[in-house]
Amino acid sequence: MLFRVWTSRDDTPPESKTPVDRQEPKAAAPKIGLALGGGAARGWAHIGVLRALTAAGIVPDVIAGTSIGAVVGGAWAAGRLDVLEEWARAVTKRRVLGLLDFRIGGSGLIGGHRLYDLMHAHFGGVAIEDLDTRFAAIATEIGSGHEIWLTQGNLTDAIRASYALPGIFGPVKVAGRWLMDGALVNPIPVSPARALGARVVIAVNLNADIFGRGTVIQSLSVDADPPAEEPVIEDVPNRGIGRIFRLQRRVNRDVVGDIRGPGGITAVMVDAFNITQDRIARSRLAGDPPDLMVAPKLAPVGLFDFHRADEAIRLGQEATERALGEISEAVAALR
């Protein structure tokens, strides 16, 4: 199905365009917008945010999501948040490994087909334009660097394009464009939420507690550090259950990393990506700040700790409950 995409640069003649703010609304004019940021496993906190908001009677009319924010936001908009939450709370380390279809060669370490099949089983052929909530999944076009807003077409394909982390998942072809993770251009999509009609935008920053204190170290000695201790490597048989342990150890080393060092190439690459994402988010938020910000304290939750959904959801809910007074005042001002 063809997607409608909005890019940061468009060659369409002005007279042929329909401005975003003149699109025909689905029912009533949207008022409350939610901008759900990227952050891998920390994104389970978005579930807690949505639970706390809806419990307080604050229901978003617009959701713009980047990466894991698109996953959770899309699930809520499609009425599948209960299913996603149940699955997330049941995730174990072994179950995560079962979804990682590693491959050699290609443009990503993980094929992503198993994860896609799982989402497709729950979302099926749901189209974004048929959702009751206005929704946009944010992606980045390879080559041009365009910021793409996926606002029509198959919901599962839009979500998959939005979380296609470079080097981990291969890019996704949508409407003739090769797309990857939207966090490269808009980690916390405030501007799409506002452009789609939201008068009050609530942003959820998953990385504020991790990178928020980043600064400049102006003087650092380059004296050599003492040699690091060599880790003890146990000999595990390369058969049966031993093969599973070998695979898990390799994933822990290359993907999750090691507290004694920078970790494997994948862990270093992902950490570099998240530092870049944080700096981009700061610039974007400075230029187009949200009306309200929710920043869960997610430092204890690692990027690949998908098995810690209970904790992340709780932290998201707690952060939102702390901000409910301010959010309620802003929403009341609309009425």
Side-chain angles (χ1 to χ4, degrees), residues 71-213:
V71 176
V72 177
W76 187 87
R80 308 287 202 278
L81 189 63
D82 288 344
V83 175
L84 179 65
E85 181 175 356
E86 182 181 358
W87 181 85
R89 290 184 184 275
V91 164
T92 62
K93 288 184 178 181
R94 181 169 294 184
R95 196 169 182 182
V96 170
L97 286 174
L99 290 172
L100 303 181
D101 45 344
F102 291 97
R103 63 183 183 181
I104 299 175
S107 52
L109 177 67
I110 300 169
H113 299 294
R114 296 176 188 171
L115 186 56
Y116 176 81
D117 290 343
L118 178 66
M119 288 197 305
H120 185 72
H122 293 302
F123 296 154
V126 174
I128 297 174
E129 60 268 29
D130 293 334
L131 300 173
D132 292 331
T133 302
R134 302 190 78 174
F135 175 77
I138 312 305
T140 305
E141 184 178 18
I142 294 177
S144 69
H146 288 331
E147 177 180 333
I148 307 293
W149 301 357
L150 299 167
T151 59
Q152 289 190 11
N154 184 275
L155 177 63
T156 306
D157 289 341
I159 291 172
R160 185 184 183 191
S162 185
Y163 71 62
L165 183 67
I168 304 298
F169 295 103
V172 179
K173 193 172 186 179
V174 172
R177 300 171 186 263
W178 285 102
L179 306 181
M180 55 187 175
D181 201 313
L184 287 166
V185 289
N186 202 343
I188 307 172
V190 173
S191 50
R194 207 180 300 282
L196 289 174
R199 291 175 57 195
V200 168
V201 177
I202 305 166
V204 184
N205 186 354
L206 302 176
N207 296 316
D209 194 40
I210 295 90
F211 296 111
R213 294 180 292 275

Side-chain angles (χ1 to χ4, degrees), residues 242-286:
R243 184 173 298 174
I244 295 176
F245 286 131
R246 280 181 180 273
L247 177 60
Q248 183 170 358
R249 189 170 64 191
R250 181 174 179 179
V251 171
N252 286 339
R253 182 194 66 203
D254 292 343
V255 178
V256 180
D258 191 317
I259 60 173
R260 292 169 294 191
I265 184 172
T266 308
V268 172
M269 180 179 66
V270 170
D271 197 39
F273 175 84
N274 278 278
I275 292 171
T276 303
Q277 171 184 323
D278 171 69
R279 297 309 188 266
I280 295 170
R282 293 192 199 190
S283 298
R284 294 296 300 257
L285 293 175

Side-chain angles (χ1 to χ4, degrees), residues 278-332:
D278 171 69
R279 297 309 188 266
I280 295 170
R282 293 192 199 190
S283 298
R284 294 296 300 257
L285 293 175
D288 188 7
D291 299 288
L292 301 149
M293 176 77 80
V294 176
K297 298 183 181 300
L298 294 165
V301 181
L303 287 171
F304 294 97
D305 287 345
F306 289 98
H307 59 286
R308 298 175 66 179
D310 289 346
E311 182 178 0
I313 292 171
R314 175 179 57 79
L315 291 171
Q317 188 164 351
E318 290 174 354
T320 307
E321 288 171 350
R322 288 193 296 269
L324 274 179
E326 188 176 0
I327 294 173
S328 298
E329 289 180 6
V331 171

Side-chain angles (χ1 to χ4, degrees), residues 24-48:
E24 188 67 26
K26 301 182 76 64
K31 294 181 179 180
I32 303 170
L34 199 56
L36 302 180
R42 295 172 186 137
W44 294 143
H46 289 318
I47 298 175

